[in-house]
Amino acid sequence: MNNFTYVRAASVKDAVQRVTNDKNAMLIAGGTNLVDRLKVFLDEPSQLIDISRLEMKRIERTPGGGLSIGALVSNTALADHPDVRRDYPIISRAILAGASQQIRNMATVGGNLLQRTRCPYYYDTAFPCNKRQPGSGCPAATGINRSHAILGVSDQCVAVHPSDMCVSLAALDAIVVVEGPKGKRQIPFTDFHRLPGNTPQRDTNLEPGELITSVILPPVPFAKSGVYLKLRDRASYAFALISVAAAVELAGEQIKDVRLAMGGVAHKPWRPTEAEKFLIGKPANAATFQQAAEIALQAAKPLTHNSFKVELAKRAIRRALAVSAKGGGVV
């Protein structure tokens, strides 16, 4: 590991100024992803700026009836918070489906949003990777790609975003609040992460020097019926092959509103908006859910080893929607 300096930021403005003044500096809070990357030389910062002691650890009600979640709230604290468990159980279930208890104790909300792909070609520096070195190639596109993307891919990158929590936040239309050299701004969650396109090295739309300070959850009354379904190779501590976050609101037998997001399928949490539009006003039955699943996967472009994901995703969507339509709970 290369030598680097370590400093504790005194405030958000101090952290922003430090990371702006030194383009090779990096922020660290829980470090559950960053430290792994340091160990294998994926990141070689000139200094680490510790923000873990800043005042961004509160979960508070917003005037509109939603929640404001500080960027340094741990995954454990968020999953266990009574307001989250009652009003946004989809988040609790997503968090508890990911990582181990020890990692959830350290991992933060802001860090969860910024974690990088677990693509093995990205982590193994013996291989080229466009995320590490743009223009060097994507061996996953023609290599072992069982766990890789089927939606939103480009010839530059087929990696998937690893987060469970982010899938639930995408479904809830969360807002990311950031602060940087130009001041504060809010980014809709669906615009926060990026598809690879021709710039696979960029995971988010954060500008240089910007720091996540909080995440805002809007009031979504029917989120209480939220379901998070995660399909993986083993039942514990494994990334999703396919995951689905779903929340359905009914008016009688018809679907009044719906939220749907998918994980394990793209470079970012995926919102199948056309499938959501189709569901509005339709009867909440198996045939409707099947049609929605077909729409959600109609643009899928499976790779050599992951064509099974298409059918698996359709079944997961049908199951998650059906359970949410019955009031939610454990899938």
Side-chain angles (χ1 to χ4, degrees), residues 18-26 45-47 181 208-209:
R18 288 179 182 275
V19 78
T20 301
N21 291 341
D22 183 354
K23 304 301 182 183
N24 294 315
M26 298 188 74
S46 57
Q47 63 173 314

Side-chain angles (χ1 to χ4, degrees), residues 25-44:
M26 298 188 74
L27 303 170
I28 186 169
T32 55
N33 184 208
L34 176 58
V35 172
D36 287 342
R37 303 200 310 267
L38 293 176
K39 289 178 180 178
V40 293
F41 303 100
L42 289 177
D43 294 308
E44 298 181 296

Side-chain angles (χ1 to χ4, degrees), residues 194-315:
R194 295 168 57 94
L195 292 177
N198 293 321
T199 55
Q201 71 276 16
R202 289 193 64 189
D203 291 338
T204 74
N205 283 313
L206 283 178
E207 297 296 334
E210 286 188 324
L211 165 69
I212 299 171
T213 57
S214 64
V215 173
I216 298 174
L217 298 179
V220 184
F222 65 96
K224 293 180 180 181
S225 69
V227 165
Y228 187 74
L229 173 59
K230 180 176 182 178
L231 304 175
R232 45 190 164 172
D233 284 325
R234 59 181 187 272
S236 176
Y237 198 47
F239 296 103
L241 290 171
I242 297 291
S243 64
V244 176
V248 177
E249 181 181 19
L250 297 181
E253 298 297 322
Q254 290 188 324
I255 298 171
K256 180 180 179 181
D257 203 351
V258 63
R259 301 292 174 82
L260 193 60
M262 303 166 65
V265 297
H267 195 260
K268 60 181 287 186
W270 189 264
R271 281 291 294 276
T273 53
E274 291 302 316
E276 288 180 327
K277 292 176 183 177
F278 165 79
L279 285 164
I280 304 299
K282 300 294 193 304
N285 58 36
T288 297
F289 300 150
Q290 175 64 40
Q291 287 181 273
E294 296 291 340
I295 293 170
L297 275 298
Q298 63 186 353
K301 295 180 179 179
L303 303 167
T304 307
H305 303 293
N306 70 359
S307 58
F308 72 94
K309 279 193 171 188
V310 177
E311 180 60 28
L312 190 65
K314 292 178 183 178
R315 296 186 183 193

